[in-house]
Amino acid sequence: MRTKQLAALLLGVGCASAQAEGPTIYGAIDLNIATVSNVAGKGRVTGEHNGGMSSSRLGFKGSEDIGNGNSINYLLEMDVLADVGSTGSGPLFARSSWVGASGKWGEIRLGRNYTETYELGAKFDPMSGGNFGGVMAVFDSRQTGLNPTSGNLFASYGSARVDNSIHYRTPNMLGLVGRVTYSAGETAGSTKTNSVRTGSVEYTRGPLDGALVLGQMYSPAAPKLVFRYEAGYLRYQFGFARIVAGHTESIGLGPGGGKFVSNFVGANIPAGPSVMLNAFLGRVDNRVFDEQPLTWSLRGDYYLSKRSMLYAGYAASRQDKGSRLNIVNLAKFTSASGAGNQPNAGDDQTGFMVGIRHVF
């Protein structure tokens, strides 16, 4: 009898294992042919650029129902530089690597997480968080004195993602969702040294979506606050288009620091069942060097299907005094010699791209 019971038990375990769902594999491959003018010391650079609409990526995610409305969740996501077949520099799963739980009480994640300063900046970017024009792609090397970890003037988020972090988000409460992230510096004798703290409140109700974001970064050598970030975003879906506006302030509190303020507006306009037109206009007030450069970009997307699309875009920056505002993400598009794409001080920059994106 015991032998039969044991056999039945093992058979049941085997069936349960066979029926268990594995992780979902997902990703995106986004490549374009692009040309960018006034690359410092190199003139014009033409070649393949990663992520005109969004960065290429490969990820694994899953969830297990543990009862009573609770689940265990996980995600591992890597960066992909499809033009050279590389995952880029840094950790293998540099985009995200976390495990957590969720339920009616909200969600908690442990590991390498997005900061709210980056997550909301990408969400409200009218250029969909891509690497060519828009909020998340515009760089200026003259910001390095303010915050050495980021050269992005519009979303000077300090850190896009943080290690050793605890992330919590509330359940949706009548359209209101709160998020908070704490990245431990793991420094003996101090909970502040080398830590990052970010938080946000987002409200979505019908056609309206808005968010307030705060971020703080402490010195890696002392329990001293050296960087603060503040942002506000507003987006509204009209019958004919979605309009978005944003305001950010990046404040460096350490030696050589200062204040950078940016304002932008943008739009996403459907032009038929398969076409989307995207526009962005932004100005930076660089109060460290008394410069106010301007940038704008346009992109048209043609959807071949729900997962495949073609696109073409144009971006430009107009410098003010000695500014060096760049229009592409430096990590995603470099010349064969390894030179970056920032113009020389005071040189305007323009770029054009034609690309394809497939998600799976």
Side-chain angles (χ1 to χ4, degrees), residues 77-93:
E77 186 176 288
M78 67 176 67
D79 203 15
V80 176
L81 302 181
D83 58 337
V84 295
S86 169
T87 59
S89 60
L92 177 61
F93 294 108

Side-chain angles (χ1 to χ4, degrees), residues 275-278 298-302 310-313:
V275 178
M276 179 70 74
L277 303 178
N278 313 280
L298 299 169
R299 193 186 74 228
D301 309 330
Y302 180 73
L310 303 174
Y311 61 86

Side-chain angles (χ1 to χ4, degrees), residues 119-140:
E119 183 179 4
L120 273 298
K123 179 176 181 177
F124 285 88
D125 185 351
M127 305 306 287
S128 64
N131 298 308
F132 195 99
V135 176
M136 310 305 289
V138 180
F139 286 73
D140 188 335

Side-chain angles (χ1 to χ4, degrees), residues 4-354:
K4 292 182 179 179
Q5 290 175 339
L6 179 60
L9 177 61
L10 292 176
L11 180 60
V13 171
C15 291
S17 298
Q19 293 172 1
E21 294 185 4
T24 297
I25 300 175
Y26 69 95
I29 302 177
D30 184 326
L31 283 173
N32 61 77
I33 304 299
T35 180
V36 178
S37 70
N38 283 334
V39 174
K42 297 293 180 179
R44 178 176 294 275
V45 172
T46 301
E48 288 193 10
H49 173 259
N50 283 274
M53 290 184 69
S54 68
S55 294
S56 299
R57 66 198 67 187
L58 176 65
F60 309 85
K61 63 182 179 180
S63 179
E64 181 187 12
D65 187 346
I66 58 175
N68 297 320
N70 298 308
S71 299
I72 299 299
N73 314 306
Y74 64 90
L75 185 145
L76 297 170
E77 186 176 288
M78 67 176 67
D79 203 15
V80 176
L81 302 181
D83 58 337
V84 295
S86 169
T87 59
S89 60
L92 177 61
F93 294 108
R95 293 187 64 86
S96 288
S97 58
W98 54 261
V99 63
S102 62
K104 295 179 180 180
W105 44 270
E107 182 177 12
I108 190 168
R109 301 173 180 177
L110 304 179
R112 179 173 173 83
N113 286 286
Y114 282 102
T115 58
E116 286 74 23
T117 50
Y118 180 89
E119 183 179 4
L120 273 298
K123 179 176 181 177
F124 285 88
D125 185 351
M127 305 306 287
S128 64
N131 298 308
F132 195 99
V135 176
M136 310 305 289
V138 180
F139 286 73
D140 188 335
S141 64
R142 291 167 72 81
Q143 189 197 345
T144 54
L146 166 68
N147 175 22
T149 68
S150 173
N152 189 309
L153 279 175
F154 287 95
S156 308
Y157 34 76
S159 295
R161 305 163 184 88
V162 285
D163 299 333
N164 310 309
S165 64
I166 302 172
H167 171 83
Y168 171 73
R169 61 183 62 194
T170 69
N172 190 315
M173 300 172 289
L174 299 177
L176 193 67
V177 175
R179 301 176 179 88
V180 62
T181 299
Y182 169 69
S183 171
E186 298 189 344
T187 302
S190 174
T191 58
K192 291 184 177 180
T193 301
N194 201 36
S195 68
V196 176
R197 305 163 189 219
T198 61
S200 67
V201 176
E202 182 179 6
Y203 179 75
T204 304
R205 196 72 170 182
L208 176 67
D209 190 6
L212 296 175
V213 186
L214 298 174
Q216 293 182 333
M217 178 184 294
Y218 285 81
S219 168
K224 181 180 179 181
L225 184 64
V226 294
F227 177 73
R228 188 170 73 245
Y229 174 84
E230 303 168 358
Y233 303 104
L234 190 63
R235 187 167 59 187
Y236 193 85
Q237 181 68 56
F238 291 93
F240 65 95
R242 184 171 65 181
I243 308 299
V244 60
H247 172 86
T248 73
E249 295 189 6
S250 307
I251 305 165
L253 305 174
K259 188 173 184 179
F260 291 75
V261 178
S262 72
N263 296 283
F264 73 87
V265 294
N268 307 110
I269 306 171
S274 301
V275 178
M276 179 70 74
L277 303 178
N278 313 280
F280 167 82
L281 172 65
R283 179 179 288 279
V284 176
D285 184 1
N286 181 337
R287 298 182 182 178
V288 178
F289 297 102
D290 187 29
E291 299 164 351
Q292 291 82 38
L294 181 73
T295 184
W296 63 92
S297 53
L298 299 169
R299 193 186 74 228
D301 309 330
Y302 180 73
Y303 288 79
L304 302 169
S305 68
K306 291 183 178 180
R307 299 190 299 169
S308 299
M309 61 274 324
L310 303 174
Y311 61 86
Y314 174 85
S317 63
R318 177 172 294 176
Q319 312 300 342
D320 178 64
K321 301 177 182 177
S323 66
R324 300 179 61 188
L325 200 61
N326 184 69
I327 59 173
V328 297
N329 186 329
L330 303 182
K332 307 296 183 180
F333 185 40
T334 56
S335 69
S337 64
N341 296 293
Q342 286 175 332
N344 287 325
D347 283 349
D348 296 343
Q349 192 172 67
T350 60
F352 179 76
M353 63 170 179
V354 178

